[in-house]
Amino acid sequence: MLIFSVFKTLTDQQVTVELKNDLSITGVLKSVDQFLNIRLDNIKVLDEARHPHMMAVKNCFIRGSVVRYVQLPPESVDTQLLEDATRRESAAQTKR
Amino acid sequence: MDTSSAIQEPFDLIRLSLSERVFVKLRGDRELSGILHAYDGHMNLILSDVEETILIVDQADGAGEGQPTVNMAKRKMDMLFVRGDGVILVSPPSR
Amino acid sequence: MASLQGYVDHRVLLILQDGRAIVGVMAGFDQKSNVVLSDSKERVYSMEEGVEEIPLGLYLVKGDQIVLIGELDEAVDQAVDLSTIRAEPIPPIHY
């Protein structure tokens, strides 16, 4: 839930999604859901010469389960807020 | 309360590493070093100031005698979400 | 929600876990992101020859096999002469 919320705060920001098939796609984060499926607009594949497969693709839906990394814009991430939220969530979990 | 009593279960160890540099071992011969800012029960992580090391093992043609050459590729990333299903271990900073 | 609703009746590219690339018109989808494509074709990439298109017709793809669904800009897609494209196939997903 925490990570889902983080991604929601990053909508309309530029991110780079690296997939488990080694494809890296940069684009504007349009939406995310509870499975961390991601929709990107205005996409660009890294090293397009080697990967022309997505030349004509303008926006895409990426299945959360195939994501390895997402590179985030550091200026849009409040790390103190994240750490506090993580402590709160883990405390709530242990109480159960 | 000393550290050992604060650690009741595995995730406590990760919680105490928040805002510290951690070492993360991932599937696919990848390792990360970065400052831990967030995690969840799936071991999804958010790290900053990340250095990734990828071990590329080239089993040169003729998999018999020739010893495989191991190449290391490194790369840096400012702020990174890591999907938990690739995480093998998270290790707290050495002290 | 990262929904697929916007893709219905649009020409899309599907990339699958095994690396296959399939284009077609999205006829429908469901909660598990199972997808039905009409007038679909597999695009087979290789370094030796241009892209080969294999007609598949009406095609159901299970959601768990899907890596990515991309909306094609039809003008851009039609402007590409596939016979001139040389590229390695997309690698399969390995967990």
Side-chain angles (χ1 to χ4, degrees), chain C residues 11-12 14 21-27 35-43 53-61:
Chain C
R11 203 152 187 89
V12 294
L14 258 60
I22 296 171
V23 295
V25 176
M26 191 184 288
V35 168
V36 175
L37 296 179
S38 63
D39 186 28
S40 65
K41 304 179 188 82
E42 178 177 354
R43 286 185 178 167
E53 283 201 321
I54 299 169
L56 300 171
L58 192 63
Y59 211 63
L60 166 72
V61 183

Side-chain angles (χ1 to χ4, degrees), chain C residues 79-90:
Chain C
V80 176
D81 182 359
L82 287 174
S83 68
T84 65
I85 303 283
R86 301 280 189 283
E88 297 285 355
I90 296 166

Side-chain angles (χ1 to χ4, degrees), chain C residues 8-92:
Chain C
V8 173
D9 291 335
H10 286 73
R11 203 152 187 89
V12 294
L13 166 75
L14 258 60
I15 294 178
L16 307 188
Q17 303 255 6
D18 60 6
R20 274 185 292 168
I22 296 171
V23 295
V25 176
M26 191 184 288
F29 69 93
D30 67 13
Q31 215 50 270
K32 295 162 119 177
S33 65
N34 299 314
V35 168
V36 175
L37 296 179
S38 63
D39 186 28
S40 65
K41 304 179 188 82
E42 178 177 354
R43 286 185 178 167
V44 182
Y45 288 81
S46 82
M47 291 304 280
E48 285 73 45
E49 48 188 349
V51 178
E52 186 189 355
E53 283 201 321
I54 299 169
L56 300 171
L58 192 63
Y59 211 63
L60 166 72
V61 183
K62 271 192 81 180
D64 54 16
Q65 288 301 308
I66 293 172
V67 170
L68 174 154
I69 301 173
E71 184 184 358
L72 286 169
D73 184 323
E74 295 211 44
V76 175
D77 196 49
Q78 268 151 31
V80 176
D81 182 359
L82 287 174
S83 68
T84 65
I85 303 283
R86 301 280 189 283
E88 297 285 355
I90 296 166

